[in-house]
């Protein structure tokens, strides 16, 4: 029997800890990106790196095949089943490392005419094998809702990543810093997780007993693999049609808009999946949790997007420098997609936590057909006029199709009407729109100021207006947030 009040308290505490860690991690990532791109890496070099590093998430998932998620979701744990999951993961990661180095990486490098792409991907293959040292105990900790410890390990691991990434770039290693950073982070994860949850695999391989886990994991992982394929094929299209310099600008635009959206949503999803899994037999509590997490995600992401849209040129000019200003139009176009992504990121953990990974798979299968086709069509038909922006506009045209399918499946699973759901979230959009108007007015008034000062004035105006609108129209205040984190009424 589930205990919704206790789980809600765990969820709120988890959000607080993971939010703190993710904020720290995001700040380090942004700082490293700003320092490296402003001082040592050119748009062309960043474009070459993007052709490889944007495939890292696909490789991570392919090496795991969702078996760690099965450890969280399944209730029938035994030591032999968990050990079997470990040995399966290890075998898959070794096989993937070999295939990547012998065939996959060289083929992609030949397609783009950039040998460095093969070197970066092959080196990253080491990480795929190493991650087995902590994946299972980390999954066990997440299942137990031990978010404070996981968040602490994550924060330390990313300090190591920051130091390695910036250090290698400063030492003249160029885009090799984008491999050195993740490898250093993985060492931190392994040491930290094993310190918090010492775990060693048994010498057991019970394939029949773990078949249900493997099937669940494969379905869940297939969905995520498709997600990362369609969300990263745009770089390959931009690189093939427009070259590495355009890819560098496009990558920065994505970094500024959609990557922060993903990171912010990841804060919620780290807590959402295990919470949904525990509440899956208590439908009213599940609906309430879903609406709460959706609104929370929207409050954070829409406020961020509003600031980026209004102040994109000041932001990029002040942080990355004038040579990166061609990325500004891409930032504003991709922000349109970010508003829908703010909602869509919360839904797959719900479906998987309820035991419906096949529905997430269907959504991602549709998106993996619609979006790549849109990317290619946009580049082929409008590339001569719009350049890399043709691919950004393809996101705007294609993504609503996949989103409509995902939203329909989630609402049907919860027996929640679209009208009720829309009413629950519409107010947050209204608050963000009002804040954007106030920020635009402030930016116009601050027009004569230097870019950095104009950026500061714009952000302050937006935050004040957004906080006021949320308090007046949605009843969301710092006090109510603090109360929610304490699970107070």
């Amino acid at each position: 029997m589930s205990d919704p009040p206790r789980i809600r308290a765990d969820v709120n505490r988890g959000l607080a800890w993971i939010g703190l860690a993710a904020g720290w991690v995001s700040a380090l990532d942004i700082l490293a990106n700003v320092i490296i791109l402003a001082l040592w890496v050119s748009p062309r070099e960043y474009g070459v790196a993007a052709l490889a590093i944007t495939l890292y998430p696909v490789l991570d998932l392919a090496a795991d095949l969702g078996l760690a998620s099965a450890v969280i979701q399944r209730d029938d744990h035994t030591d032999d089943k968990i050990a079997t999951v470990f040995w399966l993961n290890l075998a898959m990661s070794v096989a993937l490392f070999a295939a990547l180095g012998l065939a996959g990486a060289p083929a992609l490098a030949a397609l783009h005419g950039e040998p460095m792409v093969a070197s970066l991907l092959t080196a990253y293959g080491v990480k795929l094998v190493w991650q087995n040292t902590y994946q299972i105990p980390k999954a066990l900790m997440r299942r137990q809702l031990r978010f404070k410890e996981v968040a602490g390990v994550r924060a330390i691991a990313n300090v190591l990543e920051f130091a390695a990434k910036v250090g290698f770039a400063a030492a003249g290693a160029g885009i090799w810093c984008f491999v050195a950073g993740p490898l250093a982070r993985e060492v931190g994860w392994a040491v930290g997780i094993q310190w918090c949850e010492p775990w060693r695999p048994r010498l057991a391989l019970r394939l029949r007993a773990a078949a249900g886990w493997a099937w669940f994991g494969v379905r869940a992982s297939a969905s995520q693999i498709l997600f990362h394929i369609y969300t990263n094929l745009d770089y390959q299209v931009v690189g093939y049609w427009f070259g590495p310099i355009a890819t560098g600008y496009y990558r920065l635009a994505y970094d500024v808009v959609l990557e922060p959206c993903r990171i912010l949503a990841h804060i919620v999803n780290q807590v959402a999946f295990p919470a949904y899994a525990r509440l899956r037999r208590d439908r009213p509590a599940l609906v309430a949790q879903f609406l709460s997490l959706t609104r929370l995600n929207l409050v954070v992401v829409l406020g961020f997007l509003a600031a980026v849209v209004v102040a994109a040129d000041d932001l990029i000019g002040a942080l990355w420098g004038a040579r990166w200003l061609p990325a500004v139009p891409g930032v504003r176009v991709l922000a349109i997609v970010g508003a829908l992504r703010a909602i869509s990121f919360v839904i797959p953990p719900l479906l998987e936590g309820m035991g419906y990974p096949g529905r997430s798979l269907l959504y991602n299968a549709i998106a993996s057909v619609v979006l790549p086709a849109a990317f290619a069509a946009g580049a082929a038909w409008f590339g001569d006029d719009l350049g890399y922006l043709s691919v950004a506009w393809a996101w705007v045209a294609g993504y609503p199709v996949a989103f409509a399918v995902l939203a329909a499946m989630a609402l049907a699973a919860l027996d929640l009407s679209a009208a009720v759901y829309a009413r629950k979230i519409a107010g947050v959009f209204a608050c963000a729109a009002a804040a954007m108007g106030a920020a635009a007015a402030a930016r116009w008034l601050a027009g004569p100021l230097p870019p950095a000062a104009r950026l500061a004035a714009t952000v302050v105006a937006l935050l004040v207006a957004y906080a006021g609108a949320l308090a007046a129209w949605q009843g969301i205040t710092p006090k109510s947030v603090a109360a929610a984190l304490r699970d107070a009424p």
Side-chain angles (χ1 to χ4, degrees):
M1 185 74 172
S2 62
D3 183 0
R6 180 178 60 80
I7 292 177
R8 282 197 297 272
D10 289 339
V11 167
N12 288 329
R13 284 193 293 270
L15 281 171
W17 283 109
I18 289 179
L20 287 173
W24 169 250
V25 168
S26 299
L28 287 178
D29 286 343
I30 292 171
L31 181 59
N33 181 285
V34 170
I35 294 172
I36 291 169
L37 298 188
L39 298 179
W40 299 301
V41 172
S42 70
R44 187 189 190 286
E45 290 172 317
Y46 197 43
V48 172
L51 297 173
I53 63 179
T54 55
L55 298 178
Y56 290 175
V58 179
L59 297 174
D60 291 340
L61 289 164
D64 174 73
L65 278 184
L67 293 176
S69 295
V71 172
I72 298 173
Q73 200 273 343
R74 304 288 290 195
D75 295 324
D76 53 335
H77 283 203
T78 68
D79 289 341
D80 283 356
K81 287 181 180 178
I82 294 176
T84 299
V85 168
F86 170 82
W87 294 115
L88 287 174
N89 276 348
L90 181 60
M92 287 185 293
S93 59
V94 171
L96 182 60
F97 180 29
L100 186 66
L102 294 174
L108 186 65
L111 175 67
H112 292 289
E114 296 289 348
M116 181 61 75
V117 173
S119 300
L120 294 175
L121 286 173
T122 302
Y124 189 76
V126 175
K127 183 263 184 191
L128 303 178
V129 179
W130 176 261
Q131 70 187 22
N132 291 288
T133 59
Y134 70 86
Q135 289 283 58
I136 296 299
K138 178 185 174 186
L140 293 171
M141 292 174 68
R142 288 185 61 202
R143 176 178 172 79
Q144 298 159 12
L145 304 183
R146 293 166 60 185
F147 299 116
K148 178 179 179 180
E149 293 163 275
V150 173
V153 174
R154 183 186 182 194
I156 294 171
N158 280 81
V159 170
L160 295 176
E161 178 181 16
F162 173 86
K165 192 183 290 184
V166 174
F168 269 72
I175 57 178
W176 278 106
C177 68
F178 297 114
V179 174
L183 292 178
R185 181 190 65 222
E186 294 304 300
V187 172
W189 269 116
V191 173
I193 291 295
Q194 286 289 348
W195 179 271
C196 296
E197 180 73 11
W199 185 85
R200 300 292 184 275
R202 295 163 62 97
L203 293 175
L205 193 63
R206 305 287 187 264
L207 296 178
R208 180 172 297 180
W213 288 36
W215 177 235
F216 174 88
V218 167
R219 287 184 296 165
S221 179
S223 176
Q224 288 297 307
I225 289 173
L226 287 174
F227 167 79
H228 283 290
I229 288 175
Y230 82 74
T231 56
N232 288 295
L233 270 179
D234 48 351
Y235 297 107
Q236 306 303 321
V237 172
V238 174
Y240 183 79
W241 254 279
F242 308 112
I245 296 177
T247 307
Y249 293 138
Y250 182 82
R251 172 62 181 179
L252 183 64
Y254 198 103
D255 285 343
V256 172
V257 179
L258 295 184
E259 187 62 14
C261 288
R262 184 195 65 79
I263 292 171
L264 292 170
H266 185 67
I267 299 171
V268 175
N269 290 349
Q270 287 287 297
V271 179
F273 175 56
Y276 292 146
R278 289 196 176 196
L279 291 172
R280 65 184 182 275
R281 296 185 180 90
D282 188 340
R283 191 56 54 87
L286 185 64
V287 171
Q289 189 69 78
F290 172 67
L291 292 174
S292 174
L293 291 177
T294 300
R295 282 167 51 85
L296 177 61
N297 204 44
L298 282 173
V299 166
V300 176
V301 173
L302 292 182
F304 165 77
L305 290 175
V308 165
V309 168
V310 174
D313 47 355
D314 290 336
L315 177 68
I316 290 180
L319 295 182
W320 285 274
R323 66 175 175 169
W324 291 96
L325 287 176
V328 169
V331 168
R332 291 187 167 128
V333 174
L334 290 176
I336 302 171
V337 182
L340 285 182
R341 295 282 291 275
I343 303 174
S344 66
F345 276 130
V346 183
I347 297 178
L350 168 74
L351 296 174
E352 291 163 16
M354 294 177 70
Y356 302 135
R359 299 186 185 185
S360 291
L361 178 59
L362 175 61
Y363 152 68
N364 283 309
I366 292 172
S368 67
V369 173
V370 173
L371 268 300
F375 299 152
W381 296 344
F382 304 107
D384 289 342
D385 297 323
L386 299 178
Y388 82 85
L389 286 179
S390 60
V391 178
W393 279 112
W395 265 107
V396 177
Y399 189 70
V401 176
F403 173 78
V405 173
L406 179 65
M409 289 190 295
L411 297 178
L414 292 172
D415 195 23
L416 181 66
S417 75
V420 170
Y421 185 57
R423 284 198 301 270
K424 292 291 185 181
I425 65 175
V428 182
F429 281 92
C431 292
M436 186 183 298
R443 186 177 184 277
W444 180 76
L445 292 172
L449 298 178
R454 192 165 57 237
L455 174 64
T458 303
V459 171
V460 169
L462 184 138
L463 291 176
V464 171
Y466 197 37
L470 288 171
W473 300 343
Q474 299 295 301
I476 299 174
T477 66
K479 183 177 179 180
S480 69
V481 172
L485 293 175
R486 295 192 305 267
D487 199 36

